[in-house]
Amino acid sequence: MIRGVMFDFSGTLLRIESMEEWLDAGLAATGIRLSDEEFRETAGRLTEYGALPGGSAPRRIPPHLAALWQERDVSTDQHRAAYGGLALAAGLPAPELAQALYDRHMSPAAWRPYPDTVPTLRELRRRGVPVAVVSNIGWDLRPVFRTHGLDELVDVYVLSYELGVQKPDPLMFRTSCDLLGLPPGEVLMVGDDRTADGGAAALGCPVHFVDHLPVDRRPHGLTPLLDRLG
């Protein structure tokens, strides 16, 4: 019987804005102006290098960032260095844009809940099912949840940079289950990454996967999990 639920953050409950919106916001913050062609080329390179946290995975990782990339979520410094390094490697019109872009992705305005996030969390709360957010991340996402009215629907946050380990390390899931006061076999893990989130299965947690799609292309990814609770 499932009595608690753990959710991943990015690509599960909320999704980062598009590459174009992200770049546009960074340019506005720095006052840098690009022609339409320069904008398209810069956005394309940033996409290739996977420089947008929460966006598409890198298609190219510079050798000097490869090791850092593998453990980017274990600390704030490593997270910033990894993504800032990718942005710079992609080639920016000015180096200060890398800082502006990194700062932008931590802004609540850069994140949007999936259409069924609020209804699903409210239904879990109505049923008395406790909820944890278990995320590989290098910064405090709580302000994002507060801004979007989600914080009151979450009981526990387990963030990789605070523990110094990242999913699929069992410590992430074990800590969450302990904080929820439930055995792993009674806590469902919901996420979009088969490797990272699927690691919960090693503890005996049931797992439910969703697709990491733009918000307007995934209206009902979370709703089916309610059927698993009976």
Side-chain angles (χ1 to χ4, degrees):
M1 179 180 179
I2 295 172
R3 298 172 57 205
V5 182
M6 298 182 286
F7 287 97
D8 172 51
F9 164 51
S10 174
T12 300
L13 292 177
L14 296 94
R15 167 81 184 219
I16 192 69
E17 63 191 346
S18 70
M19 172 62 70
E20 291 74 19
E21 291 169 315
W22 181 59
L23 177 56
D24 192 56
L27 292 171
T30 55
I32 297 172
R33 296 180 179 273
L34 299 179
S35 67
D36 290 346
E37 181 178 0
E38 289 171 330
F39 184 93
R40 289 192 297 271
E41 290 177 351
T42 302
R45 293 194 303 272
L46 288 168
T47 299
E48 180 180 1
Y49 280 86
L52 172 57
S56 58
R59 297 196 291 267
R60 178 188 302 184
I61 299 178
H64 71 282
L65 294 176
L68 182 62
W69 174 256
Q70 293 302 317
E71 296 187 342
R72 62 193 179 277
D73 294 314
V74 301
S75 75
T76 55
D77 289 343
Q78 287 177 242
H79 193 269
R80 182 181 293 273
Y83 282 103
L86 289 172
L88 290 172
L92 296 175
E96 62 265 29
L97 183 56
Q99 179 66 53
L101 288 172
Y102 189 84
D103 290 345
R104 168 64 185 185
H105 104 274
M106 295 187 291
S107 167
W111 294 89
R112 296 167 188 158
Y114 283 95
D116 57 348
T117 292
V118 171
T120 299
L121 293 180
R122 283 180 176 167
E123 177 60 18
L124 291 173
R125 181 53 51 96
R126 187 190 71 80
R127 298 186 189 187
V129 178
V131 165
V133 170
V134 184
S135 177
N136 281 352
I137 197 165
W139 48 276
D140 187 4
L141 51 71
R142 294 172 182 88
V144 175
F145 279 73
R146 287 195 292 270
T147 298
H148 290 285
L150 302 172
D151 185 61
E152 63 184 14
L153 302 174
V154 176
D155 300 283
V156 170
Y157 293 93
V158 177
L159 310 181
S160 60
Y161 83 96
E162 293 181 337
L163 279 185
V165 299
Q166 60 190 32
K167 296 179 292 185
D169 191 304
L171 180 60
M172 291 285 289
F173 310 108
R174 185 179 301 114
T175 299
S176 178
C177 291
D178 288 346
L179 290 173
L180 292 175
L182 295 170
E186 296 181 0
V187 182
L188 176 67
M189 177 65 209
V190 182
D192 66 297
D193 189 314
R194 267 61 179 174
T195 299
D197 300 315
L203 288 182
C205 299
V207 180
H208 176 89
F209 291 114
V210 295
D211 295 321
H212 189 151
L213 294 171
V215 167
D216 59 354
R217 291 174 52 195
R218 208 197 76 192
H220 304 299
L222 298 172
T223 306
L225 73 88
L226 295 173
D227 295 334
R228 300 187 63 170
L229 276 66

